[in-house]
Amino acid sequence: MRNIIILILVFSSFATGCQKTKKEPFEAKVNISEKKDTTCLPHLYDDPKLEKEKVLIYVEEGIDSVLISRNELNKIEKLFPVFKVDFPSNPEESYAGTSWQYYINEKGEKEDITFSSEAGEDSFCLIYTYYLKQKNGEKEFKTEREKLIKLYRAINGLYEGLNYGGTYFGHQHKRLNASVEYSIYKLKLRKEYYEKKYNFQKQKDLYIKSLIQYVSDEESQNVYYEEDLRSNKKSAKERARGLQEKIYILEKLITNYFYLNQVQNFEITYYK
């Protein structure tokens, strides 16, 4: 009995040591001899050949492409299994689950891969998109993907215009790709749910009218817009035209219940 108690105490001590590792503050380099910090960390080694092999994660016309070496991507896969799970969560839950992981390199030193910054979250969402697109099927849902990107960008652009810009909307321009891919994943998982037998047009009309009313109400108390109306009418008209164009895109591209449902969810999640 005494031996069993000792074993339980030893196991509890080891488990506690592993848990503390996750809570340790960031250190650039830590010697492997500090076993209480490194006992539970994976050992990952660089492959010089794979470092030269680049993987295209994101590309958009007029914007710099995002390339990651196969060597780095292999480490990310091992440290962040969230990217390749069988049943992915939405981008926010996936990112909240883990954004910073440590490992031991070939020199026995403690290193990390982190997405814990605004730009880091952008990268996390693009890598999330890359893997989920493979799971969904890039060719199979090409049309839906392209349409959702335009719809989500229209929503992002509408709120960016109402707020006279802001860094949030710039980050969202890249992050929304993850939301697009998760929407496709939901369509693939429950396609029959979105194929409504009733006519969804009245719901769509109400949604578009509510957006138009919302823009009108917000503009009525926007001091910057009032200032433009007084001092720069040309700018005010161009901006108003830009807002109308975003609503027109939504009206044109929401062609079934699936797009309506996903656009509404996207707007509520990130802008309300």
Side-chain angles (χ1 to χ4, degrees):
M1 182 67 180
R2 185 172 174 233
N3 289 338
I4 294 174
I5 294 172
I6 290 172
L7 285 173
I8 292 172
L9 289 173
V10 170
F11 177 78
S12 300
S13 176
F14 176 77
T16 303
C18 290
Q19 291 173 357
K20 286 183 178 179
T21 301
K22 295 183 179 180
K23 297 180 181 178
E24 285 293 325
F26 169 70
E27 298 175 53
K29 303 283 184 180
V30 177
N31 193 289
I32 196 170
S33 63
E34 296 177 49
K35 291 186 178 180
K36 68 175 183 179
D37 290 331
T38 61
T39 301
C40 304
L41 298 182
H43 290 244
L44 304 179
Y45 306 127
D46 288 323
D47 187 329
K49 293 181 180 179
L50 294 182
E51 189 62 35
K52 296 179 181 179
E53 182 184 335
K54 303 298 180 182
V55 179
L56 183 63
I57 297 296
Y58 174 77
V59 62
E60 183 183 348
E61 187 177 348
I63 296 179
D64 292 338
S65 301
V66 176
L67 294 168
I68 300 179
S69 73
R70 174 57 65 182
N71 177 60
E72 191 73 5
L73 207 55
N74 285 348
K75 289 192 289 186
I76 288 172
E77 286 182 8
K78 292 174 182 176
L79 292 175
F80 298 89
V82 67
F83 289 127
K84 298 189 74 174
V85 293
D86 291 334
F87 303 101
S89 301
N90 63 52
E92 305 78 49
E93 291 178 357
S94 298
Y95 180 75
T98 177
S99 62
W100 195 324
Q101 292 289 2
Y102 294 105
Y103 67 96
I104 302 301
N105 64 21
E106 59 267 32
K107 296 178 181 179
E109 298 171 332
K110 184 178 178 183
E111 290 191 11
D112 73 279
I113 292 179
T114 177
F115 297 102
S116 59
S117 67
E118 290 294 336
E121 188 171 349
D122 295 349
S123 297
F124 182 96
C125 287
L126 292 179
I127 295 171
Y128 173 101
T129 303
Y130 170 78
Y131 284 109
L132 190 51
K133 184 187 291 186
Q134 291 178 346
K135 186 180 184 67
N136 288 334
E138 187 166 356
K139 292 182 179 179
E140 183 180 355
F141 293 97
K142 186 174 185 292
T143 300
E144 289 85 353
R145 183 176 292 109
E146 291 176 351
K147 188 177 284 191
L148 283 168
I149 288 173
K150 291 177 182 177
L151 286 166
Y152 290 2
R153 284 182 180 173
I155 289 291
N156 188 56
L158 182 67
Y159 280 86
E160 181 179 24
L162 286 172
N163 288 275
Y164 277 78
T167 58
Y168 174 81
F169 306 101
H171 288 293
Q172 275 293 98
H173 185 79
K174 288 184 177 180
R175 294 177 191 175
L176 63 80
N177 290 276
S179 297
V180 165
E181 216 55 50
Y182 189 68
S183 290
I184 292 172
Y185 170 71
K186 289 194 290 185
L187 176 64
K188 185 177 181 179
L189 205 62
R190 298 184 61 200
K191 190 173 182 180
E192 69 284 352
Y193 170 78
Y194 298 105
E195 294 177 343
K196 300 298 185 183
K197 295 180 181 180
Y198 58 73
N199 188 342
F200 85 106
Q201 191 61 44
K202 288 185 179 180
Q203 291 185 50
K204 172 187 171 180
D205 291 344
L206 286 171
Y207 176 63
I208 296 299
K209 287 178 181 177
S210 70
L211 276 180
I212 293 171
Q213 187 62 53
Y214 178 75
V215 170
S216 176
D217 291 343
E218 287 294 301
E219 292 291 76
S220 69
Q221 62 174 29
N222 192 322
V223 293
Y224 298 107
Y225 181 57
E226 292 174 0
E227 179 63 28
D228 279 348
L229 287 175
R230 288 193 297 268
S231 60
N232 194 342
K233 290 186 178 181
K234 182 180 179 181
S235 175
K237 288 181 179 180
E238 288 178 353
R239 179 172 165 280
R241 191 180 301 114
L243 295 176
Q244 291 171 0
E245 286 175 357
K246 301 298 185 296
I247 293 177
Y248 173 73
I249 290 171
L250 295 167
E251 188 173 15
K252 181 182 177 181
L253 296 184
I254 295 176
T255 53
N256 60 36
Y257 176 79
F258 168 70
Y259 293 118
L260 174 63
N261 177 270
Q262 294 304 297
V263 165
Q264 289 176 314
N265 287 340
F266 178 72
E267 182 189 5
I268 291 171
T269 300
Y270 294 104
Y271 305 95
K272 290 295 189 180

